[in-house]
């Protein structure tokens, strides 16, 4: 059996008396895509931040290839390079061009040769369909384009694991598809990813395994084919039913909006 690339054991995260994550344990195999879903406030984003060492934890451990991710350790910078993260809010530098945003960390953090980094940055921008925007500034891009640049920037650090936190939440519906297509391509190429999303159809298409969080715990864990067709727990059934209801309501509202337009 393949050893896990990422091992999370008995993870606990609390802010004072408020326990956000309770005894979370997950193994992630190389090339596996884990999708984390659940109601707002259940600890999904905090879970990703703990994995990347952006949040100190109050119990348990996070290990990549057996090496513990500890925000207080001397080698935390090197460990973070192995676990890339893409945020909901892009976090691009507005005064730098697209290619400079992608090149910045490999140059400053990894101290790699500029010519090599530039060649790879252009290849990554082509991969996400934005090579022609290399000289543009973030203000000249759409939300979907900004998010694709953010993905290219994360990939430029050559991470072993990629964490994606609600990367389509701030986008208009027509921009969501272009971003999700990039992630689907990465999944097909065997990129190890943990994805927090509210896009249920996307989660079903991309996931090897689904983790359903509620109240800081993993309430249910299964392959997408079973989870989305026959969830075992009442809480997951209720959650999925709510999403189905919202999708129907949005579909029924669309013709009315078109008529008004």
């Amino acid at each position: 059996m393949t050893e896990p690339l990422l091992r999370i054991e008995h993870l606990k995260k609390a802010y004072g008396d408020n326990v956000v994550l309770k005894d979370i344990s997950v193994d992630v195999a190389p090339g596996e895509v884990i999708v984390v879903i659940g109601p707002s406030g259940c600890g999904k984003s905090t879970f990703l931040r703990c994995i990347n060492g952006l949040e100190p934890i109050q119990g348990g451990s996070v290990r990549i290839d057996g090496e513990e991710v500890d925000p207080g350790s001397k080698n935390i910078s090197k460990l973070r390079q192995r676990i890339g993260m893409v945020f909901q809010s892009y976090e691009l530098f507005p005064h730098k061009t697209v290619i400079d945003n992608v090149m910045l960390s490999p140059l400053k953090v990894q101290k790699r040769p500029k010519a090599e980094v530039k060649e790879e940055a252009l290849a990554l921008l082509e991969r996400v369909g934005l090579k022609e925007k290399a000289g543009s500034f973030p203000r000249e891009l759409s939300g979907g384009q900004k998010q694709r640049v953010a993905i290219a920037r994360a990939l430029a650090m050559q991470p072993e694991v990629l964490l994606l936190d609600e990367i389509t939440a701030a986008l208009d519906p027509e921009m969501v598809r272009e971003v999700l297509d990039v992630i689907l391509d990465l999944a097909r190429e065997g990129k190890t990813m943990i994805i927090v999303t509210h896009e249920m159809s996307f989660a079903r298409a991309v996931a090897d395994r689904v983790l359903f969080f509620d109240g800081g715990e993993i309430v249910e864990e299964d392959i997408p084919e079973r989870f989305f067709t026959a969830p075992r727990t009442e809480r997951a059934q209720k959650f999925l039913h709510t999403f189905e209801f919202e999708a129907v309501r949005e579909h029924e509202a669309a013709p009315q909006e078109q008529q008004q337009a």
Side-chain angles (χ1 to χ4, degrees):
M1 185 176 177
T2 305
E3 282 295 309
L5 174 59
L6 193 67
R7 171 160 281 172
I8 299 143
E9 294 184 295
H10 305 295
L11 178 65
K12 178 183 176 182
K13 172 64 187 175
Y15 298 101
D17 294 331
N18 180 26
V19 180
V20 180
L21 297 174
K22 309 169 185 176
D23 197 26
I24 302 290
S25 293
V26 182
D27 281 353
V28 183
E32 189 175 18
V33 179
I34 303 290
V35 171
V36 182
I37 64 173
S40 297
C42 69
K44 305 185 299 293
S45 295
T46 302
F47 176 59
L48 293 191
R49 293 176 66 85
C50 290
I51 293 172
N52 202 33
L54 293 174
E55 292 278 357
I57 61 177
Q58 282 66 55
S61 63
V62 177
R63 299 178 188 276
I64 180 165
D65 262 346
E67 193 169 1
E68 188 167 1
V69 179
D70 179 0
S73 69
K74 293 180 180 179
N75 65 340
I76 186 61
S77 178
K78 286 187 177 181
L79 286 173
R80 282 202 185 115
Q81 292 175 45
R82 301 174 67 184
I83 308 174
M85 189 158 179
V86 183
F87 300 89
Q88 176 182 327
S89 55
Y90 324 132
E91 305 292 345
L92 299 178
F93 291 103
H95 62 289
K96 291 186 177 292
T97 63
V98 163
I99 193 165
D100 285 339
N101 266 282
V102 176
M103 292 173 62
L104 183 63
S105 291
L107 289 175
K108 298 294 185 184
V109 178
Q110 296 178 330
K111 310 294 183 185
R112 292 166 54 197
K114 187 173 182 180
E116 174 190 307
V117 170
K118 185 173 183 179
E119 182 180 358
E120 184 176 321
L122 287 170
L124 286 169
L125 287 172
E126 185 171 23
R127 186 177 184 180
V128 300
L130 290 172
K131 188 175 180 180
E132 77 284 357
K133 298 290 186 182
S136 301
F137 288 90
R139 65 176 178 274
E140 300 172 300
L141 305 180
S142 69
Q145 289 171 333
K146 289 176 186 175
Q147 196 58 283
R148 283 185 282 157
V149 172
I151 293 168
R153 180 183 58 183
L155 292 173
M157 294 294 283
Q158 302 174 342
E160 296 167 52
V161 180
L162 192 60
L163 311 176
L164 302 119
D165 186 16
E166 294 281 16
I167 60 171
T168 60
L171 302 180
D172 292 333
E174 63 268 23
M175 296 177 185
V176 169
R177 185 76 250 172
E178 64 191 48
V179 174
L180 297 186
D181 283 343
V182 171
I183 305 306
L184 283 166
D185 285 342
L186 290 173
R188 293 187 193 105
E189 292 167 13
K191 192 70 181 176
T192 307
M193 293 184 282
I194 302 179
I195 304 168
V196 168
T197 185
H198 277 109
E199 299 284 342
M200 295 298 110
S201 58
F202 168 66
R204 188 168 186 170
V206 75
D208 293 310
R209 193 160 30 123
V210 176
L211 305 182
F212 175 63
F213 274 45
D214 190 37
E217 298 178 288
I218 299 175
V219 175
E220 190 164 338
E221 176 180 347
D222 212 335
I223 59 173
E225 290 80 4
R226 280 200 298 261
F227 179 80
F228 287 105
T229 56
R232 299 186 306 273
T233 62
E234 184 178 348
R235 183 66 188 92
Q237 291 166 12
K238 183 178 180 181
F239 177 80
L240 291 175
H241 179 71
T242 300
F243 263 95
E244 289 169 2
F245 174 76
E246 291 296 331
V248 169
R249 190 167 66 175
E250 289 174 8
H251 178 72
E252 291 175 344
Q256 296 178 7
E257 292 175 357
Q258 291 172 359
Q259 290 176 1
Q260 291 172 359

